[in-house]
Amino acid sequence: MSLPQAQQETQSFVKQRWLGNSRRFASLLEGLLYLLPSILLFTVFLFYPLMKTLYLSFFYSDAQGVPLSFAGFDHFVQLFSSSSFMTSMKATLLFVLYTVPPGIILALALALLANEKLRGIGFFRTIFSSTMGMSVAASSVIWMFMYNPAIGIANRFLTWAGLSEIQWLLDPGWALISVSIATIWMNTGFTFMILLGGLQNIDSQLYESAKIAGVSRFYSLRKITLPMLSPTLFFVITVSMINAFQTFGQIDILTKGGPMETTNVIVYAIYKDAFINYNVGSASAQAVLLFFGILIVTLIQFKLGERKVHYQ
Amino acid sequence: MKKRWLFMLLLAISMVISACSGESAGNEAEAESDTETEAGSEEKTEVVFWHAMSGELEGAVQKIADDFNASQEEIEVKPVFQGTYEEAITKFNTVAGTEDAPTIMQTFEVGTKYMIDSGKIQPVQKFIDEEGYDTSQWEENITNYYAVDGVQYSMPFNSSTPVLVYNKDAFEEAGLDPEKAPATYDELKDAAKKLTNGDQVGFSILNYGWFFEELLAAQGGLFVNEDNGRAGNATEAVFNSEEGLKVFELISDMYNEGTFYNTGQVWDDMRAAFQSGKIAMYIDSSAGIRAMVDNSPFEVGASYLPVPDEANRQGVIIGGASLWMTSDIEEEKQQAAWEFMKYVTTPEVQAEWHLQSGYFAINPAAYEEDIVQEEWEKYPQLKVTVDQLKDTKPSTATQGALISVFPEARQKVVSAMESLYQGVDPKEALDRAVEETNQALEAAAKKSGN
């Protein structure tokens, strides 16, 4: 190989690489340009507040949230030694447990029913998904009236059925369950809608083959419907879980975190600390912990759950 | 194809950007036109008044402002409803010190210390001194609450106290004298026992910190040390005293006997329980009396707060809210706000306000007004609330506590009250609330660097 030839080759190689690089760079730039609006919005409304929260969680600050002096991990240490924070962690986890699995099972059952081809099924589909159109505030107020111990319909129903009255929202043993029931009702519409959409996307040929093979309905539910629905189910579980962790409205209206802090879920505790007690530092620390909590749960879900998800 | 998309995107971005700038330009134009109109009517000074009066009360506030605006040429008061006291103070917190801050801010009594510490307010004492305004015409018990170290920080506006409200018809049925309400804890227990039958339960107190504070002060008990925080910054809660324990024991005893009904934390729930005959006696704010008399299907009685048998009745702490003037605003606006505040406290305005709302008249001369005397004939219950306040002995107990972490302290007390219904020992519940309040006080002290 002569020297000029080699030089030429290197040159062309460099040129090629440079061209490739620049092309890749251009496409990266183009991609970023597409993302720009959402990146901008995320930065302003998510990343910046997130960073600020993290920052504030390490400071003692005044009532207006202006940091005064460095606190180090004081707020976190304080939280982990406070029984109130432990109660609110417990309440949050119980709330997730009470609302997510029953809510999804209920919505799935309704979706399976509504997926049948019947006359007038559209009416039922509308009814089942109608809670989606209700705001949390409005539905909470309705539930509050139903739960009212003196004049509520829930207790009238119980006395009519010959049972003793329950202090729905005032009894520490019942309050979280009562709020959960209301929450399940509120969320059913959304979960139902998504699941029904998933069901309708399943290829009907699969069911036809199953029919020809003569398998039972339950078998085809287990072997066709659920696996084919798994991406949708996975999505619904993840979203419901995150929603449940972040519940605020119904707690604020129904119980204000009481009685005896049994419904003081973490987001409500953050609100109370930040906007009623003006402990911005401690509230920020709780928010940071909540963020990592949800992050970890979601990561676990992706690690464990996604393996079982069947993508077409 | 690709290029076209890129082009569209760029177009979209540029549109967003130009839209943004367009909007801000619009704002500027608006702001300009604002100043123009201000300049046009020249002498009209605008006073923005943030308040937390909802429902019928909002109308009453609006009427006061309208009447004031009509009475003179220079000042225009604009009342703006900002949600509950808690919500309003949170909003105030975010705008305090900026030009969006209101000129007059209504804040509830437990926010007093918080407002003073915020450093964003102008004590009205300055104007009182400048003008030699005579504050002795105000109700002493009310001004006492909002005066700290002899300085009048805010202008009392709507004040209320708790009273025992009872169902006269139920009293008659139970063989009790409907004109003689229980005055001591023992009488209360007895009456509650007689009143409890079938669906009806004798007595109830809302799970709300204010009622505990009142029952404590009625016996002369203090809430925090340093003379209820009036002599210096309170460092410790002291409401687990003998007096505090008596209140908790009363609730606990009656609940265990089945003569006390737990109505939760919501005022409307408690009132609904009373109106539907579920409870025969309860403690309510004097500001709720008139509506209760109007809306109950039975005769309603009102009387003084009960006290333990051996206790010496001290009276009540003033509740409600006062008007604060913000600092960092033009002198002219402050002066205008002061004019409005003075107008609000005149006997005529106060008389109407008292009758419409059930709040006290800041200016006792209002009670001499004819319309008040007439209405008192119709609603003797209103007079009871006023008498109870008049009979109050001024002391650090009835002056009320002054602490910055009051909202938090109240939450702790509420939790403790709730735990009584779960069979927790009154002493234990109270001690825990005190301990938690101390922690909050400590944290607050750490924050302010003391």
Side-chain angles (χ1 to χ4, degrees):
Chain A
M1 210 197 276
S2 68
L3 199 73
Q5 205 190 346
Q7 225 169 9
Q8 223 173 14
E9 258 178 34
T10 336
Q11 259 176 358
S12 79
F13 175 72
V14 168
K15 205 173 166 190
Q16 241 174 3
R17 238 181 86 170
W18 185 83
L19 264 179
N21 260 352
S22 78
R23 207 170 293 152
R24 224 179 297 152
F25 183 69
S27 79
L28 177 75
L29 207 67
E30 194 190 331
L32 275 178
L33 214 53
Y34 284 123
L35 286 176
L36 192 66
S38 57
I39 288 181
L40 258 173
L41 286 177
F42 276 137
T43 312
V44 173
F45 293 108
L46 280 175
F47 302 141
Y48 173 72
L50 188 68
M51 287 301 135
K52 187 86 184 178
T53 307
L54 193 63
Y55 172 79
L56 283 174
S57 68
F58 290 107
F59 283 87
Y60 289 111
S61 37
D62 71 3
Q64 287 187 298
V66 180
L68 296 175
S69 60
F70 187 66
F73 282 93
D74 275 14
H75 292 309
F76 294 94
V77 173
Q78 189 96 46
L79 282 177
F80 281 111
S81 61
S82 111
S83 65
S84 173
F85 180 67
M86 291 301 150
T87 327
S88 84
M89 292 278 275
K90 196 180 130 203
T92 312
L93 292 176
L94 279 178
F95 185 76
V96 172
L97 195 70
Y98 289 166
T99 54
V100 178
I104 288 176
I105 291 170
L106 176 71
L108 182 63
L110 290 176
L112 285 172
L113 284 176
N115 197 33
E116 296 295 322
K117 288 191 179 62
L118 288 173
R119 240 151 72 92
I121 197 71
F123 173 73
F124 290 101
R125 285 179 187 163
T126 315
I127 293 288
F128 291 159
S129 54
S130 62
T131 61
M132 223 173 99
M134 294 276 289
S135 74
V136 171
S139 25
S140 298
V141 171
I142 295 173
W143 279 92
M144 191 169 78
F145 282 122
M146 298 209 288
Y147 281 141
N148 186 302
I151 55 173
I153 192 148
N155 270 349
R156 276 204 203 155
F157 190 73
L158 284 182
T159 25
W160 176 78
L163 299 165
S164 62
E165 290 191 356
I166 293 173
Q167 295 260 41
W168 293 99
L169 297 170
L170 303 179
D171 185 332
W174 276 100
L176 195 63
I177 296 174
S178 308
V179 178
S180 299
I181 293 173
T183 308
I184 291 172
W185 181 83
M186 290 172 207
N187 291 345
T188 302
F190 172 74
T191 322
F192 165 81
M193 192 91 126
I194 303 282
L195 287 177
L196 184 65
L199 284 176
Q200 306 231 307
N201 262 342
I202 299 175
D203 196 340
S204 60
Q205 284 181 359
L206 290 169
Y207 290 112
E208 278 159 22
S209 331
K211 227 180 221 169
I212 292 165
V215 299
S216 73
R217 283 185 83 113
F218 182 68
Y219 189 85
S220 74
L221 171 72
R222 209 156 52 89
K223 290 292 176 184
I224 301 173
T225 312
L226 289 184
M228 297 302 287
L229 195 62
S230 57
T232 318
L233 267 177
F234 180 67
F235 167 77
V236 159
I237 291 172
T238 312
V239 170
S240 306
M241 206 106 153
I242 293 176
N243 270 342
F245 270 110
Q246 298 183 338
T247 299
F248 173 78
Q250 51 269 56
I251 303 280
D252 186 41
I253 293 171
L254 289 174
T255 63
K256 301 231 175 278
M260 292 173 73
E261 305 194 336
T262 43
T263 60
N264 195 19
V265 296
I266 193 146
V267 175
Y268 195 72
I270 292 171
Y271 161 76
K272 241 179 18 183
D273 243 4
F275 298 115
I276 299 180
N277 302 336
Y278 302 114
N279 294 326
V280 179
S282 156
S284 302
Q286 288 178 62
V288 169
L289 290 176
L290 174 68
F291 170 73
F292 284 110
I294 295 182
L295 188 70
I296 289 167
V297 170
T298 311
L299 282 180
I300 292 174
Q301 263 182 325
F302 269 89
K303 268 258 164 332
L304 295 181
E306 209 170 23
R307 256 188 259 155
K308 297 209 171 66
V309 172
H310 172 87
Y311 289 110
Q312 256 182 320
Chain B
M1 188 68 190
K2 227 182 204 174
K3 271 195 181 146
R4 213 176 69 193
W5 277 110
L6 204 65
F7 175 68
M8 298 262 287
L9 182 76
L10 284 168
L11 196 71
I13 292 171
S14 61
M15 267 162 74
V16 168
I17 291 169
S18 63
C20 286
S21 61
E23 202 178 315
S24 65
N27 277 345
E28 272 161 34
E30 218 171 277
E32 264 166 41
S33 71
D34 261 6
T35 45
E36 260 166 46
T37 47
E38 260 171 43
S41 57
E42 236 168 310
E43 61 273 65
K44 280 239 175 188
T45 311
E46 190 183 273
V47 172
V48 177
F49 170 24
W50 280 16
H51 65 86
M53 306 275 88
S54 57
E56 287 169 28
L57 295 180
E58 187 176 1
V61 169
Q62 185 67 50
K63 189 173 177 301
I64 293 179
D66 288 346
D67 290 350
F68 175 71
N69 292 339
S71 73
Q72 40 71 47
E73 297 279 280
E74 288 85 33
I75 303 161
E76 175 85 19
V77 173
K78 280 193 179 162
V80 184
F81 175 62
Q82 291 289 1
T84 62
Y85 289 131
E86 282 90 351
E87 286 161 6
I89 203 171
T90 303
K91 288 180 194 168
F92 176 74
N93 191 27
T94 48
V95 300
T98 73
E99 60 183 27
D100 291 326
T103 317
I104 301 178
M105 170 75 194
Q106 182 195 26
T107 300
F108 58 170
E109 81 281 26
V110 293
T112 303
K113 175 81 171 160
Y114 172 80
M115 291 298 271
I116 295 173
D117 289 350
S118 79
K120 306 286 183 201
I121 52 99
Q122 167 68 53
V124 291
Q125 186 71 44
K126 180 184 159 200
F127 295 92
I128 293 173
D129 292 345
E130 276 177 13
E131 208 166 293
Y133 184 79
D134 178 22
T135 56
S136 68
Q137 53 175 310
W138 296 348
E139 170 76 43
E140 191 192 358
N141 288 305
I142 301 176
T143 44
N144 264 344
Y145 193 104
Y146 300 107
V148 181
D149 297 332
V151 175
Q152 192 73 39
Y153 272 89
S154 60
M155 202 76 161
F157 177 53
N158 55 318
S159 299
S160 59
T161 57
V163 280
L164 180 74
V165 180
Y166 60 98
N167 179 339
K168 282 190 176 175
D169 293 8
F171 264 55
E172 243 165 272
E173 270 168 44
L176 293 158
D177 179 2
E179 297 312 318
K180 197 179 162 295
T184 66
Y185 285 6
D186 276 353
E187 285 173 28
L188 185 73
K189 279 184 185 172
D190 273 351
K193 241 178 247 167
K194 285 179 187 148
L195 287 163
T196 304
N197 59 41
D199 263 355
Q200 181 173 279
V201 183
F203 180 58
S204 181
I205 301 176
L206 191 72
N207 298 328
Y208 189 61
W210 184 55
F211 291 114
F212 172 74
E213 291 151 29
E214 292 287 356
L215 289 164
L216 183 72
Q219 315 167 42
L222 296 184
F223 198 74
V224 287
N225 66 355
E226 297 287 343
D227 285 346
N228 248 354
R230 298 268 169 183
N233 273 331
T235 53
E236 251 173 59
V238 295
F239 57 79
N240 56 348
S241 57
E242 202 185 321
E243 291 91 352
L245 192 59
K246 285 227 170 83
V247 179
F248 265 50
E249 275 171 350
L250 174 80
I251 297 173
S252 175
D253 288 354
M254 290 184 74
Y255 186 78
N256 292 337
E257 284 174 10
T259 56
F260 184 99
Y261 187 72
N262 173 11
T263 43
Q265 296 191 31
V266 183
W267 290 76
D268 287 339
D269 283 356
M270 169 181 73
R271 289 172 180 157
F274 180 68
Q275 282 171 345
S276 66
K278 184 94 200 171
I279 48 176
M281 298 183 286
Y282 77 106
I283 301 179
D284 200 347
S285 157
S286 57
I289 288 290
R290 187 177 168 150
M292 194 49 70
V293 174
D294 283 343
N295 300 334
S296 297
F298 44 76
E299 285 285 303
V300 175
S303 80
Y304 290 12
L305 271 191
V307 290
D309 302 54
E310 62 282 5
N312 191 356
R313 181 185 293 278
Q314 297 294 313
V316 285
I317 312 172
I318 204 75
S322 64
L323 303 183
W324 294 76
M325 193 186 290
T326 52
S327 57
D328 306 328
I329 52 169
E330 298 147 45
E331 184 84 27
E332 194 194 353
K333 284 199 173 188
Q334 288 188 338
Q335 195 63 45
W338 170 244
E339 290 302 324
F340 177 63
M341 286 177 169
K342 273 195 302 189
Y343 172 79
V344 168
T345 50
T346 54
E348 299 78 33
V349 176
Q350 283 296 316
E352 213 165 299
W353 174 241
H354 168 64
L355 295 176
Q356 280 187 0
S357 63
Y359 282 114
F360 291 116
I362 307 310
N363 195 330
Y367 300 135
E368 307 303 325
E369 297 276 319
D370 287 344
I371 48 168
V372 174
Q373 294 293 339
E374 273 168 34
E375 286 288 301
W376 277 6
E377 295 280 318
K378 272 191 265 172
Y379 298 97
Q381 295 91 342
L382 281 176
K383 190 173 181 306
V384 172
T385 67
V386 175
D387 288 343
Q388 180 174 232
L389 185 65
K390 274 187 188 155
D391 290 345
T392 294
K393 296 169 188 150
S395 70
T396 45
T398 56
Q399 215 179 353
L402 206 58
I403 49 173
S404 55
V405 295
F406 227 135
E408 210 170 343
R410 279 194 170 172
Q411 290 158 27
K412 306 301 178 198
V413 170
V414 167
S415 258
M417 285 170 94
E418 286 168 347
S419 71
L420 292 178
Y421 313 131
Q422 302 310 309
V424 173
D425 179 59
K427 176 95 184 114
E428 204 182 300
L430 207 51
D431 285 347
R432 192 167 155 213
V434 164
E435 198 184 307
E436 288 175 341
T437 307
N438 285 342
Q439 281 169 7
L441 281 167
E442 208 177 296
K446 215 186 268 176
K447 267 196 296 194
S448 56
N450 296 331

